[in-house]
Amino acid sequence: MDTPSLGTITFGDQVISGMSQDELAVFRRDHCGFVFQQIYLIDGMSVMDNVLSAGLLVSRDRKGVLAKAKELFEAVDIPEETQKKFPTQISGGEAQRAGMVRALINSPEILFADEPTGALNRSSSDEVMNELLSLNRDGTTVMCVTHDPKVAAKCSRVLYIMDGGIMGEKEMGHFNGGDRELRDRERELNNWLMEQGW
């Protein structure tokens, strides 16, 4: 999305920092998924069509893309009647989960999540984070940007960034679930952040 001021960016064994804008667009389409705080679903299309339009950019197998979309919608608990609605007709939590389905339709190797819970209530936030954690356990790399320590406490690795520089890094290990573990992780993370000058 941006050009580095120093160094190179590699993905696997491929140097991507020297690619043209067209090459980067193809790379993002084929390897990356994006979940944003503002969902950016297209208002004039149904939730399902939003997802299919992304999938059909990569594959012309409409039946295969449709089958995968249905499977992903089921995984994030969005029923068929909701899939037929327009984005303005569904809740914020449903829209964010639909955005996740759109981001996952092309089986990305890495998922970038920019404040994915920032506009959601606590219940919807928990649902979205649980889905991101499940994706990560299944092998998708998830990179999440957040200002919410409750969200960061569920992550296995935390980088504290201030003014464009990495101020510190903390390995948290995998979050297994449960309120007690989450409280302990939040306390540990908050103490560490305070030591970093947060």
Side-chain angles (χ1 to χ4, degrees):
M1 300 291 283
D2 204 357
T3 303
S5 53
L6 291 171
T8 58
I9 300 171
T10 59
F11 187 89
D13 59 357
Q14 188 175 13
V15 177
I16 64 171
S17 47
M19 289 181 173
S20 70
Q21 288 302 314
D22 288 345
E23 290 171 326
L24 284 171
V26 170
F27 176 85
R28 286 191 297 269
R29 182 195 69 196
D30 292 347
H31 299 282
C32 305
F34 298 88
V35 178
F36 303 97
Q37 181 175 358
Q38 301 301 322
I39 293 100
Y40 299 121
L41 294 173
I42 300 169
D43 289 336
M45 298 172 72
S46 71
V47 171
M48 174 60 88
D49 285 342
N50 265 275
V51 171
L52 293 179
S53 65
L56 292 171
L57 286 173
V58 173
S59 172
R60 294 292 169 217
D61 176 13
R62 184 174 175 81
K63 285 183 180 178
V65 173
L66 180 61
K68 181 162 186 192
K70 288 181 177 181
E71 179 183 310
L72 288 167
F73 276 123
E74 184 176 339
V76 298
D77 197 27
I78 294 183
E80 189 173 345
E81 58 268 22
T82 303
Q83 298 166 28
K84 295 175 183 175
K85 293 181 180 180
F86 292 101
T88 55
Q89 298 174 310
I90 62 177
S91 72
E94 289 170 329
Q96 189 62 284
R97 284 179 283 142
M100 288 177 63
V101 170
R102 182 187 55 194
L104 295 171
I105 192 66
N106 295 323
S107 302
E109 293 153 82
I110 184 166
L111 182 71
F112 295 96
D114 181 12
E115 293 284 4
T117 63
L120 304 178
N121 62 33
R122 180 53 57 192
S123 174
S124 294
S125 173
D126 288 343
E127 289 174 5
V128 167
M129 277 308 296
N130 287 342
E131 186 58 32
L132 289 174
L133 292 170
S134 175
L135 290 167
N136 184 243
R137 283 190 294 271
D138 290 343
T140 302
T141 297
V142 178
M143 183 176 287
C144 179
V145 176
T146 185
H147 290 93
D148 186 346
K150 289 182 183 301
V151 169
K154 293 181 178 180
C155 298
S156 58
R157 180 178 173 216
V158 176
L159 297 176
Y160 173 49
I161 299 174
M162 185 172 67
D163 298 331
I166 297 174
M167 306 303 292
E169 176 182 349
K170 181 162 184 62
E171 294 289 338
M172 298 288 292
H174 288 288
F175 174 61
N176 298 309
D179 292 339
R180 183 174 181 176
E181 181 189 2
L182 182 56
R183 282 193 304 271
D184 290 344
R185 289 170 69 95
E186 283 180 48
R187 189 178 312 108
E188 179 184 351
L189 181 61
N190 279 321
N191 289 339
W192 176 76
L193 286 170
M194 292 302 175
E195 290 170 6
Q196 305 305 308
W198 186 55

